[in-house]
Amino acid sequence: MFRSRSGRGKAVGTALLAAASLMLTLGGCGVDPVTPQDARQGGGTDDKAGGAPRRVDCAQVKCIALTFDAGPGKDTPHLLDVLKEKQVPATFFLLGSKHVDRYPDVVRRIADEGHEVANHTWSHRILTDLDESEIRDELSRTQDAIEKITGRKPTLMRPPQGRTDGTVSDVSRELGLAQVLWSITAKDYSTTDSALIRQRVLDDAHRDGIILLHDIYDGTVPAVPSIIDELKRRGFTFVTVPELLAPGKAEPGTVYRPEKD
């Protein structure tokens, strides 16, 4: 499915168009999402974010989380250069096959530079179409591959297309993985127009939002610097997903999704 960037776009673009509507029906699947605000309110007073000292208090500061799916890819090192220059942390939901296993040095760099390393399955199969053992394989293979490189298993995962259900939640809980969805998407799988990607993100940006982008598509990484600059100008502070939830912690099996303003 992810043979080349142009091929990937054609292969998954149409399928991903269903993600937004699926997100709206998660409650009907027996999965009730938790908002970042609710996670924070239920988190007590611990001044930690995923076990690390908390840089910001998102109850007081206008936070937003920048996340990237389905990498790493050949453009990810440049993206990391941008994030380092602009001092912006991000959360990377990494794909195992032909990505984690192809770019181990990039995975290591993501972790070493303070970004959150997360799981986006091994081969981007739709988890709700699989049985329990297949779901476990998709997630655990990526867990093991990332741990081998970074020394740490992820605590977050993002199901392909945002599709989840009770079985996915049960397996995620077993593997120590919370599920993270999104509230802002540029649909960058459907365009190479960096200006359009930028505008779509800025149009939907909101406090406590989670931005979904893909660092494997041609138009995305070039759009990131101006997205960051404009959101900073608007008073946003960029955080990782664990920081967005702190002092709450991502609970395994739970689905997290922001509500738009």
Side-chain angles (χ1 to χ4, degrees):
M1 179 177 284
F2 288 84
R3 295 186 182 90
S4 67
R5 284 182 295 169
S6 60
R8 289 192 293 265
K10 293 177 181 178
V12 304
T14 301
L16 286 172
L17 289 172
S21 61
L22 285 163
M23 287 170 59
L24 297 176
T25 60
L26 279 172
C29 298
V31 179
D32 295 320
V34 174
T35 68
Q37 298 96 318
D38 288 342
R40 290 196 297 265
Q41 291 171 4
T45 59
D46 186 19
D47 194 28
K48 299 277 187 177
R54 185 155 48 120
R55 297 181 306 114
V56 296
D57 182 353
C58 291
Q60 304 296 325
V61 175
K62 189 164 72 170
C63 292
I64 198 165
L66 186 58
T67 73
F68 297 92
D69 280 13
K74 74 177 190 67
D75 294 331
T76 306
H78 177 56
L79 172 61
L80 290 170
D81 291 341
V82 170
L83 297 175
K84 185 174 184 179
E85 175 189 350
K86 297 187 177 294
Q87 297 184 314
V88 166
T91 302
F92 287 82
F93 292 89
L94 303 182
L95 197 62
S97 178
K98 301 182 181 178
H99 293 271
V100 169
D101 58 0
R102 184 172 291 176
Y103 299 100
D105 291 343
V106 179
V107 175
R108 190 174 297 109
R109 182 182 169 189
I110 291 170
D112 288 347
E113 294 187 1
H115 304 289
E116 187 72 17
V117 180
N119 188 327
H120 195 45
T121 74
W122 184 256
S123 60
H124 208 267
R125 298 178 72 188
I126 305 305
L127 298 181
T128 52
D129 293 342
L130 307 181
D131 64 29
E132 184 175 318
S133 65
E134 291 171 319
I135 296 168
R136 186 177 294 107
D137 184 65
E138 278 288 311
L139 294 172
S140 63
R141 289 183 70 184
T142 307
Q143 290 289 89
D144 293 343
I146 290 173
E147 182 185 31
K148 184 176 180 180
I149 295 167
T150 68
R152 177 176 177 266
K153 287 186 178 181
T155 59
L156 307 176
M157 79 87 155
R158 177 169 284 159
Q161 295 186 16
R163 295 198 192 198
T164 188
D165 59 18
T167 304
V168 175
S169 295
D170 288 344
V171 175
S172 298
R173 186 177 302 108
E174 172 193 323
L175 296 176
L177 289 165
Q179 303 174 75
V180 179
L181 302 185
W182 61 91
S183 58
I184 304 159
T185 177
K187 299 181 180 179
D188 53 351
Y189 47 81
S190 65
T191 181
T192 59
D193 185 339
S194 297
L196 179 59
I197 291 169
R198 173 186 184 274
Q199 196 57 49
R200 285 173 172 173
V201 170
L202 298 180
D203 285 347
D204 284 346
H206 62 94
R207 183 171 185 163
D208 289 326
I210 297 178
I211 301 168
L212 166 61
L213 293 170
H214 300 78
D215 46 328
I216 57 171
Y217 297 127
D218 289 338
T220 301
V221 172
V224 170
S226 60
I227 289 172
I228 290 172
D229 290 345
E230 176 58 21
L231 290 178
K232 282 186 173 181
R233 189 191 70 79
R234 295 183 187 182
F236 285 96
T237 296
F238 286 91
V239 293
T240 64
V241 170
E243 288 176 324
L244 188 66
L245 305 181
K249 295 182 180 179
E251 296 294 335
T254 300
V255 177
Y256 295 89
R257 184 186 71 199
E259 288 183 353
K260 292 187 179 181
D261 295 337

